[in-house]
Amino acid sequence: MSGEARTGERPELNARRLIFVSLGLLIGSTVLAILTLHTEVPQQPLPVTLAAVAGTAAWVLAGIRLLARFRQPGPASAVFVIGYVVLSGLLIWCNPFFGFFAWSGYLFIVHTLSERWLMAGVSGVALVTALSQTGGFETLQDTGGRVFFAGLFLANAVLAFIMTRFQLGQLRNSQRRLAVIDELAQANAKLEAALKENAGLHAQLLVQAHEAGVLDERQRMAGEIHDVLAQGLTGIVTQLEAAEAQPGERDRHLGAAKRLARESLAEARRSVRALRPQQLDGAGLPAALGEVVETWAGLHDIRADLIITGTERRLLPEIEATLLRTAQEALANVARHAGAGRVGLTLSYMEDLVTLDVRDDGAGFDPEEPREITETGGFGLAAMRERLTRIAGTLAVESEPGAGTALSACVPAIALGGTP
């Protein structure tokens, strides 16, 4: 329960403590009354006194246990305080030493009366307390005794009111602290529940991340197999077929097939280890592209030109590797499907982008027509797009039957140092 909700409630009544204090003072006052039986202290016969003590004790026990069940001040609280004051006055009439017991009435006021009736309760207790301090009811018979009683009553009332207000403030501050502790406990419970929920979500995210990592690695390996092994094997088959068809060039074609086999094997090993292509070792992307274009043109007897525009700079390894693989795949597609006589590649460095354009004068195709994946191909464009998508790149294809093909790969120009 919040502190605001408790502001209108009376401080929590500790029944056991109040019973202990009240009955302790009642017993102590009774002992003093018995010890002063044969003195000049104004008093009533002992049986009358003991009867008043018994009635007061019963009232205290019943009243405190009843009030302990209620949180709000009400008629029951007012009746209890009135009865307490009346019984205290009766005991003081029996013997003034019961003023020690009457003082305990101040304790009940804080726990039983609302602020509206606080002064009335304090005045009642101050009245009987001042009466015991003046020596009982007999002192009220003369004017001097009444004046002395009035002064004591006023002093008791003012002092008791100040102390009661102070005690009430302390009790309320204590309740506010308890309310804050309750709120903190609830907040801690909610935080603990949230932490448990976050732990579950974290575990779920780990599973999802693992699955995504496995899928990404599968896609990477599929692309590497297609770009490295499939292209190498295709080149080897092409060279072997050429060796059979051209006996005079047999040695040259067999040598090219062996070189392709060695290069494909080396690239396959590098792909498994997730290393960058061999052409990029110790060289930038323009030089690596130049080597790829020159080698491809020599193998397929097709003219291939490379043009570099803009200010050359080293890019992140992932970006350079992706552009190099894109160029290799585009050239492989030209060799397999285009029947082109000339190929042109343009690598353009711009402020925040790098583009690679590959154009050929081959047979062309309809980009809108779905391409079926078969043993002879069909996966190339999809592989290029997947590679480029992983580095926030794009691929555009322009082609039509009989008019050649143009591919344009666009990637962010993130330099090796981490800035465009």
Side-chain angles (χ1 to χ4, degrees), residues 38-381:
H38 303 291
T39 64
E40 296 181 357
V41 175
Q43 55 188 296
Q44 302 301 320
L46 183 59
V48 175
T49 300
L50 293 179
V53 169
T56 301
W59 181 264
V60 170
L61 288 173
I64 291 178
R65 293 187 180 278
L66 179 63
L67 293 176
R69 301 178 182 178
F70 300 97
R71 298 289 303 170
Q72 297 287 350
S77 301
V79 170
F80 174 77
V81 172
I82 292 173
Y84 200 94
V85 171
V86 171
L87 288 171
S88 297
L90 176 61
L91 290 173
I92 291 172
W93 172 71
C94 293
N95 191 306
F97 281 104
F98 280 101
F100 292 104
F101 166 76
W103 173 87
S104 64
Y106 292 124
L107 301 177
F108 292 98
I109 293 171
V110 175
H111 296 280
T112 56
L113 296 180
S114 63
E115 291 189 38
R116 181 179 179 182
W117 301 103
L118 189 64
M119 192 60 192
V122 169
S123 299
V125 177
L127 181 68
V128 294
T129 303
L131 188 62
S132 69
Q133 292 169 349
T134 58
F137 286 91
E138 292 184 1
T139 58
L140 300 178
Q141 296 177 1
D142 58 80
T143 303
R146 288 194 291 270
V147 172
F148 182 53
F149 167 77
L152 284 175
F153 166 70
L154 183 61
N156 279 315
V158 172
L159 182 61
F161 183 76
I162 294 174
M163 295 302 296
T164 302
R165 295 287 298 185
F166 177 74
Q167 184 184 12
L168 184 63
Q170 284 188 321
L171 289 172
R172 285 186 172 169
N173 288 335
S174 176
Q175 275 199 306
R176 292 191 185 98
R177 287 193 293 270
L178 290 175
V180 171
I181 292 174
D182 290 343
E183 291 176 353
L184 288 176
Q186 294 176 5
N188 288 334
K190 293 179 180 178
L191 179 60
E192 184 178 357
L195 289 175
K196 290 182 180 179
E197 182 179 358
N198 288 339
L201 291 175
H202 180 67
Q204 183 178 357
L205 288 175
L206 286 178
V207 173
Q208 292 176 350
H210 174 72
E211 293 175 352
V214 170
L215 178 60
D216 185 69
E217 182 64 13
R218 287 176 178 173
Q219 292 176 344
R220 185 190 72 81
M221 290 302 300
E224 293 290 344
I225 290 172
H226 177 270
D227 294 344
V228 177
L229 297 181
Q231 291 181 14
L233 292 174
T234 300
I236 293 170
V237 170
T238 301
Q239 294 300 320
L240 293 177
E241 291 175 347
E244 292 180 354
Q246 303 173 9
E249 299 290 331
R250 182 174 180 275
D251 292 339
R252 183 176 69 84
H253 289 304
L254 289 178
K258 291 179 182 179
R259 186 181 63 182
L260 281 174
R262 293 190 186 98
E263 290 178 354
S264 298
L265 179 60
E267 284 298 314
R269 290 171 176 169
R270 300 174 69 85
S271 297
V272 171
R273 298 173 185 174
L275 299 177
R276 55 196 277 140
Q278 183 178 2
Q279 293 89 345
L280 290 173
D281 286 344
L285 180 60
L289 276 177
E291 179 183 348
V292 168
V293 170
E294 182 180 357
T295 302
W296 181 87
L299 287 174
H300 299 284
D301 291 329
I302 300 175
R303 178 180 174 180
D305 301 311
L306 174 64
I307 300 174
I308 310 295
T309 65
T311 303
E312 299 180 15
R313 55 190 183 276
R314 294 303 299 269
L315 305 175
L316 286 180
E318 294 83 359
I319 293 178
E320 290 190 341
T322 299
L323 288 175
L324 183 64
R325 293 300 191 201
T326 300
Q328 290 175 321
E329 175 61 25
L331 291 173
N333 287 341
V334 172
R336 285 197 298 266
H337 309 296
R342 183 176 180 180
V343 180
L345 291 85
T346 303
L347 180 64
S348 303
Y349 288 90
M350 291 174 277
E351 182 177 356
D352 55 354
L353 296 174
V354 176
T355 61
L356 173 65
D357 299 309
V358 182
R359 302 171 307 282
D360 68 74
D361 59 358
F365 64 97
D366 184 2
E368 301 298 327
E369 182 180 349
R371 296 184 63 79
E372 183 181 358
I373 297 177
T374 64
E375 295 181 357
T376 60
F379 183 68
L381 291 177

